[in-house]
Amino acid sequence: KEITFAQYLEFCKETGKKIPDDEGWGKASRPIINVSWYDAIEFCNWLSKKEGLTPAYITDGSKYNWELKSKPYKLEGYRL
């Protein structure tokens, strides 16, 4: 499911992340653009925690060190 700018902006506000450029397309209900794979993983973990689900990704704060937890079919949290 596409994530909107509005949803992603909530994540940015709560985590202090930089708001991505919309390149003039507009924000609100438009799909989010200009985010990295790692930004998307962080969003998935954030949303999972917010909804009381166990995050699906293991991260250490570095965009180069992350992994999907074992047995993906048993994971609760959001993932790509």
Side-chain angles (χ1 to χ4, degrees):
K1 181 178 173 185
E2 294 174 339
I3 302 301
T4 65
F5 260 99
Q7 292 168 305
Y8 198 82
L9 289 176
E10 183 180 350
F11 163 68
C12 291
K13 287 177 187 174
E14 286 190 22
T15 61
K17 294 284 182 191
K18 181 183 173 194
I19 297 171
D21 184 12
D22 67 358
E23 297 186 18
W25 285 92
K27 294 182 177 161
S29 62
R30 300 265 187 191
I32 189 69
I33 57 173
N34 294 319
V35 297
S36 71
W37 180 266
Y38 188 75
D39 291 336
I41 286 171
E42 286 186 312
F43 176 84
C44 287
N45 278 354
W46 170 81
L47 186 58
S48 296
K49 289 176 189 174
K50 188 173 176 105
E51 294 187 4
L53 303 172
T54 302
Y57 294 97
I58 300 168
T59 63
D60 68 358
S62 166
K63 64 181 178 179
Y64 301 108
N65 293 321
W66 62 270
E67 63 183 89
L68 186 62
K69 292 180 179 178
S70 62
K71 300 183 181 177
Y73 57 90
K74 290 187 174 184
L75 297 175
E76 290 183 331
Y78 292 96
R79 58 191 181 275
L80 302 175

